[in-house]
């Protein structure tokens, strides 16, 4: 694609990056077939190619309207288009740049701005968020059915093994996961403990920055990333082997730290090291296959089949397709076939709240696909997908590491 970027952007790091990405796109349209919003809405401007065209116009200095913002807001950032694109167009990076520019040029109305600010505050408020969830659970029986389904049931973390192994890794706690599903990281700690690795929590660390990043508060997100690195750094210097991430949505954000802070002289090197050490829990367990096989020796196969939902952040963002499925099969689980497994479930960070209509349509399709093989249980790799699918599914839903923890117990 030929480009002619406007003077105000062309010599900036963002401008140069966006220009290189735009030039790779050859308008072939292969990406349209796997774009969830294009498949639902049938509008070229809700496809990757259409959005790339809109962002090109912004970068070339054309007037920007609410229409551009609406089409960019509707994008799930699922990055299925990246997986499909034969030219290697890094759509995810481009849409981050495009959204940031449009946000500055098209002010949001009061109600929309306030609801976005409220979302940031609610998700990042720690104890206040926990109090709100506890309140929702207490009054669940009194809530209308549609709202009650959005309140996740209480999950019990169980024991976190004491750090007893020379091999250590640190874990990303995250913002909402400790309140909504403390069992996920505790199950990870138990599984890794059996594999000879101690998993250590870092209380000073919290949200990875993805909430602010999703909501286009990009400076606030960068500040949070720096604080996260500061909290982890002493542990990495002391020999922690990896930063284990159990929510693949957060994993894509942490994998991006090196890129996001590449132009910050004080943090560029540290951020690059964190990126190199960030690992999805599936990758960590898969690397310990031999030890896992010993723990599983002699155990009979699991009775009921399960269906696994591969989050977009894992398969399209982190490009780790098939790793978790391989570990589960080796652990004795039978996985049912899931049609259209490349398509987003509609959770996508804060998307389910900001775009409820599209999100519900994607959820209904995903639940139908996951339950089509009549599995006994469902599982996934990301807290957002887990809670979203659980709200619409008839079967129990877990993080896959919890299934493995139960299997090894
Ligand atoms: S990221 Fe997903 S929703 Fe957005 S354009 Fe690409 S395929 Fe479509
Ligand atoms: S598949 Fe790639 S090159 Fe083709 S239109 Fe989509 S983004 Fe552009």
């Amino acid at each position: 694609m030929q480009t002619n970027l406007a003077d105000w952007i062309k010599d900036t790091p963002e401008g140069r990056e966006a220009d290189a990405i735009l030039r790779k796109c050859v308008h072939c349209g292969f990406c349209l077939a796997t774009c969830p919003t294009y498949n639902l809405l049938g509008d070229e401007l809700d496809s990757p190619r259409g959005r790339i065209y809109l962002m090109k116009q912004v970068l070339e200095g054309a007037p920007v309207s609410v229409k551009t913002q609406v089409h960019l807001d509707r994008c799930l950032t699922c990055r299925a288009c990246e997986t499909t694109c034969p030219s290697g167009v890094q759509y995810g990076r481009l849409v981050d740049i495009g959204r940031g520019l449009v946000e500055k040029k098209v002010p949001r109305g009061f109600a929309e701005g306030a609801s976005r600010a409220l979302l940031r505050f609610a998700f990042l408020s720690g104890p206040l968020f926990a109090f709100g969830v506890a309140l929702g659970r207490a009054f669940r029986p009194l809530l209308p059915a549609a709202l009650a389904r959005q309140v996740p049931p209480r999950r019990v973390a169980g024991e976190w093994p004491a750090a007893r192994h020379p091999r250590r890794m640190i874990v990303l706690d995250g913002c909402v996961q400790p309140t909504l599903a403390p069992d996920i990281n505790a199950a990870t700690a138990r599984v890794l403990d059996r594999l000879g690795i101690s998993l250590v929590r870092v209380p000073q660390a919290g949200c990875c920055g993805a909430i602010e990043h999703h909501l286009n508060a990009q400076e606030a997100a960068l500040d949070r990333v720096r604080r996260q690195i500061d909290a982890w750094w002493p542990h990495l210097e002391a020999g922690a082997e990896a930063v284990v991430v159990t929510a693949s949505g957060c994993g894509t954000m942490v994998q991006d730290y090196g890129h996001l802070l590449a132009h910050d002289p004080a943090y560029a090197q540290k951020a690059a090291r964190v990126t190199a050490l960030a690992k999805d829990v599936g990758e960590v367990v898969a690397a310990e296959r031999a030890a896992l096989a010993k723990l599983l020796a002699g155990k009979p196969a699991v009775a009921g089949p399960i269906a696994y939902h591969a989050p977009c952040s894992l398969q399209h963002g982190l490009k780790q397709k098939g790793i978790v499925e391989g570990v589960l099969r080796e652990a004795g689980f039978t996985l049912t076939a899931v049609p259209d497994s490349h398509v987003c479930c509609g959770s996508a960070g804060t998307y389910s709240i900001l775009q409820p209509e599209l999100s519900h349509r994607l959820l209904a399709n995903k639940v139908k696909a996951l339950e089509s093989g009549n599995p006994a249980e469902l599982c996934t790799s990301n807290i957002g997908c887990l809670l979203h699918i659980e709200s619409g599914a008839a079967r129990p839903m877990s993080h896959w590491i919890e299934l493995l923890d139960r299997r090894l117990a």
Side-chain angles (χ1 to χ4, degrees), residues 24-31 48-49 52 84-87 89:
K24 280 189 177 174
C25 178
V26 294
H27 307 271
C28 65
F30 286 171
C31 52
R49 187 171 61 182
I52 287 169
T84 318
C85 175
S87 304
V89 171

Side-chain angles (χ1 to χ4, degrees), residues 43-226:
D43 181 343
E44 171 85 16
L45 294 180
D46 287 312
S47 78
R49 187 171 61 182
R51 292 184 178 116
I52 287 169
Y53 180 68
L54 289 172
M55 289 186 275
K56 177 177 182 284
Q57 286 185 315
V58 173
L59 287 152
E60 290 184 340
V64 190
S65 71
V66 174
K67 188 175 151 75
T68 303
Q69 193 171 51
V70 165
H71 292 295
L72 294 189
D73 282 352
R74 280 189 199 144
C75 170
L76 294 137
T77 330
C78 68
R79 294 166 65 180
C81 46
E82 279 189 25
T83 301
T84 318
C85 175
S87 304
V89 171
Q90 290 176 295
Y91 174 89
R93 293 229 194 280
L94 184 64
V95 82
D96 278 350
I97 296 170
R99 280 179 171 150
L101 296 175
V102 172
E103 200 70 21
K104 285 179 196 146
K105 289 179 183 287
V106 184
R108 295 190 185 268
F110 176 77
E112 202 186 347
S115 67
R116 283 171 169 256
L118 192 66
L119 266 181
R120 267 174 68 188
F121 175 73
F123 283 146
L124 299 173
S125 63
L128 211 58
F129 178 76
F131 177 70
V133 172
L135 214 60
R137 283 176 181 150
F139 289 99
R140 200 167 189 243
L142 306 177
L143 296 174
L147 198 56
R149 272 202 299 278
Q150 305 302 318
V151 182
R154 187 166 169 267
R155 292 166 189 261
V156 180
E159 185 210 348
W160 191 298
R164 62 189 174 113
H165 299 294
R167 290 187 67 191
R168 292 193 182 199
M169 297 181 180
I170 54 174
V171 65
L172 170 72
D173 253 345
C175 50
V176 298
Q177 190 168 304
T179 297
L180 296 174
D183 44 336
I184 296 174
N185 280 2
T188 304
R190 292 190 289 270
V191 170
L192 293 189
D193 182 66
R194 292 183 194 107
L195 294 170
I197 301 165
S198 287
L199 192 67
V200 178
R201 299 178 76 174
V202 182
Q204 301 85 349
C207 176
C208 63
I211 295 279
E212 280 141 334
H213 194 69
H214 283 304
L215 292 169
N216 269 328
Q218 296 182 353
E219 284 308 315
L222 291 183
D223 281 346
R224 198 169 288 278
V225 169
R226 291 184 188 99

